[in-house]
Coordinates of all heavy atoms in Angstrom, one line a residue:
M319 N 105.4 74.7 108.0 CA 105.1 73.5 107.2 C 105.7 73.7 105.8 O 105.5 74.8 105.2 CB 103.6 73.4 107.0 CG 103.1 72.3 106.2 SD 101.3 72.2 105.8 CE 100.6 72.4 107.4
T320 N 106.5 72.8 105.3 CA 107.1 72.9 104.0 C 106.6 71.7 103.2 O 106.7 70.6 103.6 CB 108.7 72.8 104.1 OG1 109.1 74.0 104.8 CG2 109.3 72.9 102.7
V321 N 106.2 72.0 102.0 CA 105.7 71.0 101.1 C 106.4 71.1 99.7 O 106.5 72.3 99.2 CB 104.2 71.1 100.8 CG1 103.7 70.1 99.8 CG2 103.4 71.0 102.1
S322 N 107.0 70.1 99.2 CA 107.7 70.2 97.9 C 106.8 69.7 96.8 O 106.2 68.7 96.9 CB 109.0 69.3 98.0 OG 109.9 69.7 98.9
K323 N 106.8 70.5 95.8 CA 105.9 70.2 94.6 C 106.6 70.6 93.3 O 107.6 71.3 93.4 CB 104.6 71.0 94.7 CG 103.8 70.6 95.9 CD 102.3 70.9 95.8 CE 101.7 70.4 94.6 NZ 100.3 70.1 94.7
R324 N 106.1 70.2 92.2 CA 106.6 70.7 90.9 C 105.5 71.5 90.3 O 104.3 71.3 90.4 CB 106.8 69.5 90.0 CG 108.0 68.6 90.4 CD 108.3 67.6 89.3 NE 109.4 66.7 89.8 CZ 110.7 66.9 89.6 NH1 111.0 68.0 89.0 NH2 111.6 66.1 90.1
L325 N 106.0 72.6 89.5 CA 105.1 73.4 88.8 C 104.4 72.6 87.7 O 105.1 71.8 87.1 CB 105.8 74.6 88.2 CG 106.3 75.7 89.3 CD1 107.0 76.8 88.5 CD2 105.1 76.3 90.1
G326 N 103.2 73.0 87.3 CA 102.6 72.4 86.1 C 103.2 72.9 84.9 O 104.0 73.8 84.9
G327 N 102.7 72.4 83.7 CA 103.3 72.7 82.4 C 103.2 74.2 82.1 O 104.0 74.7 81.4
K328 N 102.2 74.9 82.6 CA 102.0 76.3 82.3 C 102.4 77.1 83.5 O 102.0 78.3 83.6 CB 100.5 76.6 82.0 CG 100.1 76.0 80.6 CD 98.6 76.3 80.3 CE 98.3 75.7 79.0 NZ 96.8 75.9 78.7
G329 N 103.2 76.5 84.4 CA 103.6 77.3 85.6 C 102.6 77.3 86.7 O 102.8 78.0 87.7
G330 N 101.6 76.5 86.6 CA 100.5 76.5 87.6 C 101.0 75.7 88.9 O 101.9 74.9 88.8
L331 N 100.3 76.0 90.0 CA 100.6 75.4 91.2 C 99.3 75.2 92.0 O 98.5 76.1 92.1 CB 101.6 76.3 92.0 CG 101.9 75.9 93.4 CD1 102.8 74.6 93.4 CD2 102.6 77.0 94.1
T332 N 99.1 74.0 92.5 CA 98.0 73.8 93.4 C 98.5 73.8 94.8 O 99.5 73.0 95.2 CB 97.3 72.4 93.1 OG1 96.8 72.4 91.8 CG2 96.2 72.2 94.1
I333 N 98.0 74.6 95.7 CA 98.4 74.7 97.0 C 97.7 73.6 97.8 O 96.5 73.4 97.8 CB 98.1 76.1 97.6 CG1 98.8 77.2 96.8 CG2 98.5 76.1 99.1 CD1 98.3 78.6 97.2
P334 N 98.5 72.7 98.5 CA 97.9 71.6 99.2 C 96.8 72.1 100.2 O 96.9 73.1 100.8 CB 99.1 71.0 100.0 CG 100.3 71.4 99.2 CD 100.0 72.8 98.6
Q335 N 95.8 71.2 100.2 CA 94.6 71.6 101.0 C 95.0 71.9 102.5 O 94.5 72.9 103.1 CB 93.6 70.4 101.0 CG 92.3 70.7 101.7 CD 91.3 69.6 101.5 OE1 91.7 68.4 101.7 NE2 90.1 69.9 101.2
A336 N 95.9 71.1 103.1 CA 96.2 71.3 104.5 C 96.9 72.7 104.7 O 96.6 73.4 105.7 CB 97.2 70.3 104.9
V337 N 97.7 73.1 103.7 CA 98.3 74.4 103.7 C 97.3 75.5 103.5 O 97.3 76.5 104.3 CB 99.4 74.6 102.6 CG1 100.0 76.0 102.6 CG2 100.5 73.5 102.9
R338 N 96.3 75.3 102.6 CA 95.2 76.3 102.4 C 94.4 76.5 103.6 O 94.1 77.6 104.0 CB 94.4 75.9 101.2 CG 95.0 76.2 99.9 CD 94.0 76.0 98.7 NE 94.0 74.6 98.4 CZ 93.0 73.8 98.4 NH1 91.8 74.3 98.7 NH2 93.1 72.5 98.0
H339 N 94.1 75.3 104.2 CA 93.2 75.4 105.4 C 94.0 76.1 106.6 O 93.4 77.0 107.2 CB 92.8 74.0 105.9 CG 91.7 73.4 105.1 ND1 91.0 72.3 105.4 CD2 91.1 73.9 104.0 CE1 90.1 72.0 104.6 NE2 90.1 73.0 103.7
A340 N 95.3 75.8 106.7 CA 96.0 76.4 107.8 C 96.1 77.9 107.6 O 96.1 78.7 108.5 CB 97.4 75.8 107.8
A341 N 96.1 78.4 106.3 CA 96.2 79.8 106.0 C 94.8 80.5 105.9 O 94.7 81.7 105.7 CB 97.0 80.0 104.7
G342 N 93.8 79.7 106.0 CA 92.4 80.2 105.9 C 92.1 80.7 104.5 O 91.3 81.6 104.3
L343 N 92.6 80.0 103.5 CA 92.3 80.3 102.1 C 91.3 79.3 101.5 O 91.6 78.2 101.3 CB 93.6 80.3 101.3 CG 94.6 81.4 101.6 CD1 95.9 81.1 100.9 CD2 94.1 82.7 101.1
A344 N 90.1 79.8 101.2 CA 89.1 79.0 100.5 C 89.3 79.1 99.0 O 89.9 80.0 98.5 CB 87.7 79.5 100.9
P345 N 88.9 78.0 98.3 CA 89.0 78.1 96.8 C 88.4 79.4 96.3 O 87.3 79.8 96.7 CB 88.3 76.9 96.3 CG 88.4 75.9 97.5 CD 88.3 76.8 98.7
G346 N 89.1 80.1 95.4 CA 88.6 81.3 94.8 C 89.0 82.5 95.6 O 88.7 83.7 95.2
A347 N 89.6 82.3 96.8 CA 90.1 83.5 97.6 C 91.1 84.3 96.9 O 92.0 83.7 96.2 CB 90.6 83.0 98.9
P348 N 91.0 85.6 96.9 CA 92.0 86.5 96.3 C 93.4 86.4 97.0 O 93.4 86.3 98.3 CB 91.5 87.9 96.3 CG 90.5 87.9 97.5 CD 90.0 86.4 97.6
I349 N 94.5 86.3 96.3 CA 95.8 86.2 96.9 C 96.7 87.2 96.3 O 96.5 87.7 95.2 CB 96.4 84.8 96.8 CG1 96.5 84.4 95.3 CG2 95.6 83.7 97.6 CD1 97.3 83.1 95.0
D350 N 97.8 87.5 97.0 CA 98.8 88.3 96.5 C 100.1 87.4 96.4 O 100.4 86.7 97.2 CB 99.2 89.5 97.5 CG 98.0 90.5 97.6 OD1 97.3 90.6 96.6 OD2 97.9 91.1 98.7
I351 N 100.7 87.6 95.2 CA 102.0 86.8 94.9 C 103.1 87.8 94.8 O 103.0 88.7 94.0 CB 101.8 86.0 93.6 CG1 100.6 85.0 93.8 CG2 103.1 85.2 93.3 CD1 100.2 84.3 92.4
E352 N 104.1 87.6 95.7 CA 105.2 88.6 95.7 C 106.5 87.9 95.5 O 106.8 86.8 96.1 CB 105.1 89.2 97.1 CG 106.1 90.3 97.4 CD 106.0 90.8 98.9 OE1 104.9 90.7 99.4 OE2 107.0 91.2 99.4
D353 N 107.4 88.6 94.7 CA 108.8 88.1 94.6 C 109.5 88.5 95.9 O 109.7 89.6 96.2 CB 109.4 88.9 93.4 CG 110.9 88.5 93.2 OD1 111.4 87.7 94.0 OD2 111.5 89.1 92.3
A354 N 109.9 87.4 96.6 CA 110.6 87.7 97.9 C 112.1 87.6 97.7 O 112.8 87.4 98.7 CB 110.1 86.7 98.9
G355 N 112.6 87.7 96.5 CA 114.1 87.6 96.3 C 114.6 86.2 96.2 O 114.9 85.8 95.1
D356 N 114.5 85.5 97.3 CA 115.0 84.1 97.2 C 113.8 83.1 97.1 O 114.0 81.9 97.2 CB 115.8 83.8 98.5 CG 114.9 83.9 99.7 OD1 113.9 84.6 99.7 OD2 115.3 83.3 100.8
G357 N 112.7 83.6 96.7 CA 111.5 82.8 96.6 C 110.3 83.6 96.3 O 110.4 84.7 95.8
I358 N 109.1 83.0 96.4 CA 107.9 83.6 96.1 C 107.0 83.5 97.4 O 106.9 82.5 98.0 CB 107.1 82.9 95.0 CG1 108.0 83.0 93.7 CG2 105.7 83.5 94.8 CD1 107.5 82.1 92.6
L359 N 106.4 84.7 97.8 CA 105.5 84.7 98.9 C 104.1 84.8 98.5 O 103.7 85.7 97.6 CB 105.9 86.0 99.7 CG 105.3 86.1 101.1 CD1 105.6 84.9 102.0 CD2 105.9 87.4 101.7
I360 N 103.3 83.9 99.0 CA 101.8 83.9 98.6 C 101.1 84.2 99.9 O 101.2 83.5 100.9 CB 101.4 82.6 98.1 CG1 102.1 82.3 96.8 CG2 99.9 82.5 97.8 CD1 101.9 80.8 96.2
R361 N 100.2 85.3 99.9 CA 99.5 85.7 101.0 C 98.0 86.0 100.7 O 97.7 86.2 99.5 CB 100.0 87.0 101.6 CG 101.3 86.9 102.2 CD 101.5 88.2 103.0 NE 102.6 89.0 102.4 CZ 103.5 89.7 103.1 NH1 103.4 89.7 104.4 NH2 104.4 90.3 102.5
K362 N 97.2 86.0 101.7 CA 95.8 86.5 101.5 C 95.9 87.9 100.9 O 96.7 88.7 101.4 CB 95.0 86.5 102.8 CG 94.6 85.2 103.4 CD 93.8 85.5 104.6 CE 93.6 84.2 105.4 NZ 92.9 84.5 106.7
H363 N 95.0 88.2 100.0 CA 95.0 89.5 99.4 C 94.5 90.5 100.5 O 93.5 90.3 101.1 CB 94.1 89.6 98.2 CG 94.0 91.0 97.7 ND1 95.0 91.7 97.1 CD2 92.9 91.8 97.6 CE1 94.6 92.9 96.7 NE2 93.3 93.0 97.1
V364 N 95.2 91.6 100.7 CA 94.8 92.6 101.6 C 94.5 93.8 100.7 O 95.4 94.3 100.0 CB 95.9 93.0 102.6 CG1 95.5 94.2 103.4 CG2 96.3 91.8 103.5
P365 N 93.2 94.3 100.6 CA 92.9 95.4 99.8 C 93.7 96.6 100.1 O 93.9 97.0 101.3 CB 91.4 95.7 100.1 CG 90.9 94.4 100.6 CD 92.1 93.8 101.3
S366 N 94.3 97.3 99.1 CA 95.2 98.5 99.4 C 94.9 99.5 98.3 O 94.5 99.2 97.2 CB 96.6 98.1 99.4 OG 97.0 97.6 98.2
C367 N 94.9 100.8 98.8 CA 94.6 101.9 97.9 C 95.6 102.1 96.8 O 96.8 102.0 97.0 CB 94.6 103.2 98.8 SG 94.3 104.7 97.9
I368 N 95.1 102.3 95.5 CA 96.0 102.4 94.4 C 96.8 103.7 94.4 O 97.8 103.9 93.8 CB 95.2 102.3 93.0 CG1 94.1 103.4 93.0 CG2 94.6 100.9 92.9 CD1 93.5 103.6 91.6
F369 N 96.3 104.7 95.3 CA 97.0 106.0 95.3 C 98.0 106.0 96.5 O 99.2 106.4 96.2 CB 96.0 107.1 95.5 CG 95.1 107.3 94.3 CD1 93.8 106.9 94.3 CD2 95.6 107.9 93.2 CE1 93.0 107.0 93.2 CE2 94.8 108.0 92.0 CZ 93.5 107.6 92.1
C370 N 97.6 105.7 97.7 CA 98.5 105.9 98.8 C 99.1 104.5 99.4 O 99.9 104.5 100.2 CB 97.9 106.7 99.9 SG 96.6 105.8 100.8
G371 N 98.5 103.4 98.9 CA 98.9 102.1 99.4 C 98.4 101.8 100.8 O 98.6 100.7 101.3
G372 N 97.5 102.7 101.3 CA 96.9 102.4 102.6 C 96.0 101.2 102.6 O 95.5 100.9 101.5
T373 N 95.8 100.6 103.8 CA 94.9 99.4 103.8 C 93.7 99.7 104.8 O 93.0 98.7 105.1 CB 95.7 98.2 104.3 OG1 96.3 98.5 105.6 CG2 96.8 97.8 103.3
T374 N 93.5 100.9 105.2 CA 92.4 101.3 106.0 C 91.2 101.8 105.2 O 91.4 102.7 104.4 CB 92.8 102.3 107.1 OG1 94.0 101.8 107.8 CG2 91.7 102.6 108.1
E375 N 90.0 101.3 105.5 CA 88.8 101.8 104.9 C 88.9 101.8 103.3 O 88.7 102.8 102.7 CB 88.4 103.2 105.3 CG 88.1 103.3 106.8 CD 87.7 104.7 107.2 OE1 88.4 105.7 106.9 OE2 86.6 104.9 107.7
V376 N 89.3 100.7 102.8 CA 89.5 100.5 101.3 C 88.2 100.0 100.7 O 87.6 99.0 101.2 CB 90.7 99.6 101.0 CG1 90.8 99.4 99.5 CG2 92.0 100.2 101.6
V377 N 87.7 100.7 99.7 CA 86.6 100.2 98.9 C 87.0 100.0 97.5 O 88.0 100.4 97.1 CB 85.4 101.2 99.0 CG1 84.9 101.4 100.4 CG2 85.8 102.6 98.4
T378 N 86.2 99.2 96.8 CA 86.5 99.0 95.3 C 85.5 99.8 94.5 O 84.3 99.8 94.7 CB 86.3 97.5 95.0 OG1 87.2 96.7 95.9 CG2 86.7 97.2 93.6
V379 N 86.1 100.6 93.6 CA 85.3 101.5 92.7 C 85.8 101.1 91.3 O 87.0 101.2 91.0 CB 85.5 103.0 93.0 CG1 84.7 103.8 92.0 CG2 85.2 103.3 94.4
A380 N 84.9 100.7 90.4 CA 85.2 100.4 89.0 C 86.4 99.4 89.0 O 87.2 99.5 88.1 CB 85.4 101.6 88.2
G381 N 86.4 98.5 89.9 CA 87.4 97.4 89.9 C 88.7 97.9 90.5 O 89.7 97.1 90.5
K382 N 88.8 99.1 91.0 CA 90.1 99.6 91.6 C 89.8 99.8 93.1 O 88.8 100.3 93.5 CB 90.5 101.0 90.9 CG 90.6 100.9 89.4 CD 91.8 100.1 89.0 CE 92.0 100.2 87.5 NZ 92.9 99.1 87.0
E383 N 90.8 99.5 93.9 CA 90.8 99.7 95.3 C 91.2 101.1 95.7 O 92.3 101.6 95.2 CB 91.6 98.6 96.0 CG 91.0 97.3 95.8 CD 91.9 96.1 96.2 OE1 93.1 96.3 96.4 OE2 91.4 95.0 96.4
I384 N 90.5 101.8 96.5 CA 90.8 103.2 96.9 C 90.4 103.4 98.3 O 89.3 102.9 98.7 CB 90.2 104.2 95.9 CG1 90.6 105.6 96.3 CG2 88.7 104.1 95.9 CD1 90.1 106.7 95.3
C385 N 91.2 104.1 99.1 CA 90.8 104.3 100.5 C 89.9 105.5 100.6 O 89.8 106.4 99.6 CB 92.0 104.5 101.4 SG 92.8 106.1 101.2
L386 N 89.1 105.6 101.6 CA 88.1 106.7 101.7 C 88.8 108.0 101.8 O 88.2 109.0 101.3 CB 87.2 106.4 102.9 CG 86.3 105.2 102.8 CD1 85.3 105.1 104.0 CD2 85.4 105.3 101.5
A387 N 90.0 108.1 102.4 CA 90.7 109.4 102.5 C 91.0 109.9 101.1 O 90.8 111.1 100.7 CB 91.9 109.3 103.3
C388 N 91.5 109.0 100.2 CA 91.9 109.4 98.8 C 90.6 109.7 98.0 O 90.6 110.6 97.2 CB 92.7 108.4 98.1 SG 94.4 108.3 98.8
A389 N 89.5 108.9 98.3 CA 88.3 109.1 97.6 C 87.7 110.5 97.9 O 87.2 111.2 97.0 CB 87.3 108.0 98.0
R390 N 87.8 110.9 99.2 CA 87.4 112.2 99.6 C 88.2 113.3 98.9 O 87.6 114.3 98.4 CB 87.5 112.4 101.1 CG 86.4 111.7 101.9 CD 86.5 112.0 103.4 NE 85.7 111.0 104.1 CZ 86.1 110.0 104.8 NH1 87.4 109.8 104.9 NH2 85.3 109.2 105.4
E391 N 89.5 113.1 98.8 CA 90.4 114.1 98.1 C 90.0 114.2 96.6 O 89.9 115.3 96.1 CB 91.8 113.6 98.2 CG 92.8 114.7 98.2 CD 94.2 114.2 98.6 OE1 94.4 113.5 99.6 OE2 95.2 114.5 97.9
L392 N 89.7 113.0 96.0 CA 89.3 113.1 94.6 C 88.0 113.7 94.4 O 87.8 114.5 93.4 CB 89.3 111.6 94.0 CG 90.6 111.0 93.7 CD1 90.4 109.5 93.3 CD2 91.3 111.7 92.6
A393 N 87.1 113.4 95.3 CA 85.7 114.0 95.2 C 85.8 115.5 95.4 O 85.1 116.3 94.6 CB 84.8 113.4 96.3
A394 N 86.7 116.0 96.3 CA 86.8 117.5 96.5 C 87.4 118.1 95.2 O 87.0 119.2 94.7 CB 87.7 117.8 97.7
L395 N 88.4 117.4 94.6 CA 89.1 117.9 93.4 C 88.1 117.9 92.2 O 88.0 118.9 91.5 CB 90.3 117.1 93.0 CG 91.1 117.5 91.8 CD1 91.7 118.8 92.0 CD2 92.1 116.4 91.5
A396 N 87.3 116.9 92.2 CA 86.3 116.8 91.1 C 85.2 117.9 91.2 O 84.8 118.5 90.3 CB 85.6 115.4 91.1
A397 N 84.8 118.1 92.5 CA 83.8 119.2 92.7 C 84.4 120.5 92.3 O 83.7 121.4 91.7 CB 83.4 119.2 94.2
E398 N 85.7 120.8 92.7 CA 86.3 122.0 92.3 C 86.4 122.2 90.8 O 86.1 123.3 90.3 CB 87.7 122.0 92.9 CG 88.6 123.3 92.8 CD 90.0 123.1 93.4 OE1 90.0 122.7 94.6 OE2 90.9 123.3 92.7
K399 N 86.8 121.1 90.1 CA 86.9 121.2 88.6 C 85.5 121.4 88.0 O 85.4 122.1 87.0 CB 87.6 119.9 88.1 CG 89.0 119.7 88.5 CD 89.9 120.8 87.9 CE 91.3 120.7 88.3 NZ 92.2 121.8 88.0
L400 N 84.5 120.7 88.6 CA 83.2 120.9 88.0 C 82.7 122.3 88.2 O 82.1 122.9 87.3 CB 82.3 119.9 88.8 CG 80.8 119.9 88.3 CD1 80.7 119.5 86.8 CD2 80.0 118.9 89.1
E401 N 83.1 122.9 89.4 CA 82.7 124.3 89.7 C 83.3 125.2 88.6 O 82.7 126.1 88.0 CB 83.2 124.7 91.1 CG 82.7 126.0 91.5 CD 81.3 126.1 92.0 OE1 80.7 125.0 92.1 OE2 80.8 127.2 92.2
D402 N 84.6 125.0 88.3 CA 85.4 125.8 87.3 C 84.7 125.6 86.0 O 84.5 126.6 85.2 CB 86.8 125.4 87.2 CG 87.6 125.7 88.5 OD1 87.1 126.5 89.3 OD2 88.8 125.2 88.6
F403 N 84.3 124.4 85.6 CA 83.7 124.1 84.3 C 82.4 124.8 84.2 O 82.1 125.5 83.2 CB 83.5 122.6 84.2 CG 82.9 122.2 83.0 CD1 83.6 122.1 81.8 CD2 81.6 121.8 82.9 CE1 83.0 121.7 80.6 CE2 80.9 121.4 81.8 CZ 81.7 121.4 80.6
V404 N 81.6 124.8 85.3 CA 80.3 125.5 85.2 C 80.5 127.0 85.1 O 79.8 127.6 84.3 CB 79.5 125.1 86.5 CG1 78.2 126.0 86.6 CG2 79.1 123.6 86.5
H405 N 81.4 127.6 85.8 CA 81.6 129.0 85.8 C 82.2 129.4 84.4 O 81.9 130.5 83.9 CB 82.5 129.5 86.9 CG 81.8 129.5 88.2 ND1 80.6 130.2 88.4 CD2 82.0 128.8 89.4 CE1 80.2 130.0 89.6 NE2 81.0 129.1 90.2
D406 N 83.1 128.6 83.8 CA 83.7 128.9 82.5 C 82.6 128.9 81.4 O 82.7 129.7 80.5 CB 84.8 127.9 82.2 CG 86.0 128.2 83.0 OD1 86.1 129.2 83.7 OD2 86.9 127.3 83.0
G407 N 81.6 128.1 81.6 CA 80.5 128.0 80.6 C 79.5 129.2 80.7 O 78.7 129.3 79.8
E408 N 79.6 130.0 81.7 CA 78.6 131.1 81.9 C 79.0 132.3 81.1 O 80.1 132.6 80.8 CB 78.5 131.5 83.4 CG 77.7 130.4 84.1 CD 77.7 130.7 85.7 OE1 78.3 131.7 86.1 OE2 77.1 129.9 86.4
Ligands
LIG1853 ZN1 94.5 106.2 99.6

C-alpha cells in the first residue's frame, strides 16, 4: 500500500488510519524511524539492549532497555566492585 502525503510545517506526518491498522499500530505506540538510504522506514518499536543490541528478554531499567544477559553481567561486575570496595575499607 502506498499513500502520498505532504509533511507538516514542522516536519510532522500523520500516518493514515488504514496503514496504521494494517501495521497494528495504535495511537501512542512506540515506533522506530530509520534512514533507509532512499527513504525512511517506520516500524513498530522492538525493544533492544543498549549494550549488545539483542532483542531477547529485554527489560527497561531507568528508561534504558537492557537484556537479562547483560543485566546479569553488570550485576556480577557491580557485586565484584562492591566486594573490592568493602575490603578496601577494612
Ligand atoms: Zn544485552
Side-chain angles (χ1 to χ4, degrees):
M319 178 187 311
T320 299
V321 178
S322 296
K323 298 201 54 151
R324 288 185 187 275
L325 291 178
K328 294 180 178 176
L331 175 68
T332 299
I333 300 170
Q335 189 177 42
V337 175
R338 280 187 278 123
H339 281 190
L343 291 169
I349 57 170
D350 293 332
I351 301 171
E352 181 183 331
D353 175 2
D356 62 340
I358 298 168
L359 189 58
I360 299 172
R361 292 192 244 223
K362 283 184 195 175
H363 175 67
V364 175
S366 61
C367 178
I368 59 168
F369 293 105
C370 72
T373 56
T374 305
E375 296 184 305
V376 176
V377 296
T378 301
V379 178
K382 304 290 184 196
E383 295 169 341
I384 182 172
C385 74
L386 292 183
C388 288
R390 285 186 193 103
E391 209 170 311
L392 283 174
L395 181 64
E398 185 181 307
K399 294 294 178 190
L400 183 60
E401 185 78 10
D402 292 348
F403 178 76
V404 168
H405 287 300
D406 288 348
E408 289 175 356

